[in-house]
Amino acid sequence: MSTTHTPSGTLTAAQCTTLEALLADIEQHARDSARLADEHRAAISTADALNLARCIAAQQQSAAQLSALDARRAAFLRSLGLRTASTGSVTLSQLAAMAPKPRAALLTSTAARVRELLADAAQRRESVRLASLSLMAHMQGIVRQISRNLSET
């Protein structure tokens, strides 16, 4: 039987430092992810095969980095005794609010900024997905047209 624990109490200075480092790393990952999505979209729009390949490789690396960040987040939650079936039920913003007052405001602000950056990166990745679908539909149309032209000759 797994239960969800609600954060309570105050984080220690060391825990605040751990949370601060985690938030900083997630923030940097979100910024990098947004930049990569922009580069990927540009590569699609210019049909730059070499840059597309570079972007795809970078996305695979980014996914591995995100997995490592999530593992760090889950380990941090477990270290606080917040064991759940899905440790994602406790947000980093909730943890930031558990910091002592001087640090809570900064950590809460950072967590909010990280949330906004993650949403922006997700929106940019969705734009890349839609651009990819559009390009694929265009290419399928070209293939159909060539097939028709070849069958007529």
Side-chain angles (χ1 to χ4, degrees):
M1 179 170 128
S2 182
T3 60
T4 301
H5 292 57
T6 304
S8 61
T10 302
L11 297 178
T12 66
Q15 291 167 334
C16 287
T17 299
T18 300
L19 178 57
E20 191 171 39
L22 180 59
L23 285 169
D25 290 346
I26 293 171
E27 180 176 3
Q28 186 59 53
H29 184 272
R31 289 182 193 283
D32 292 345
S33 181
R35 179 189 43 77
L36 180 58
D38 290 345
E39 291 173 8
H40 194 164
R41 184 164 170 86
I44 289 170
S45 69
T46 60
D48 182 344
L50 288 174
N51 203 19
L52 274 170
R54 187 196 63 75
C55 288
I56 290 169
Q59 283 180 337
Q60 290 171 343
Q61 184 178 11
S62 178
Q65 291 168 346
L66 182 59
S67 179
L69 285 170
D70 189 54
R72 278 180 53 199
R73 179 197 59 82
F76 180 57
L77 291 176
R78 283 191 305 275
S79 77
L80 297 173
L82 300 172
R83 300 170 200 261
T84 63
S86 170
T87 55
S89 61
V90 177
T91 68
L92 296 177
S93 294
Q94 289 172 316
L95 293 176
M98 293 170 55
K101 292 298 177 201
R103 285 182 96 172
L106 176 63
L107 288 170
T108 301
S109 171
T110 301
R113 184 174 61 249
V114 166
R115 184 178 22 259
E116 290 172 10
L117 289 169
L118 288 169
D120 178 60
Q123 183 178 3
R124 291 179 194 209
R125 284 190 306 274
E126 177 64 10
S127 175
V128 169
R129 187 185 75 78
L130 294 174
S132 298
L133 290 174
S134 177
L135 177 61
M136 185 175 67
H138 176 70
M139 297 301 290
Q140 287 173 337
I142 290 172
V143 168
R144 279 193 296 272
Q145 184 178 14
I146 291 170
S147 294
R148 272 192 302 253
N149 289 342
L150 288 174
S151 67
E152 292 173 1
T153 58

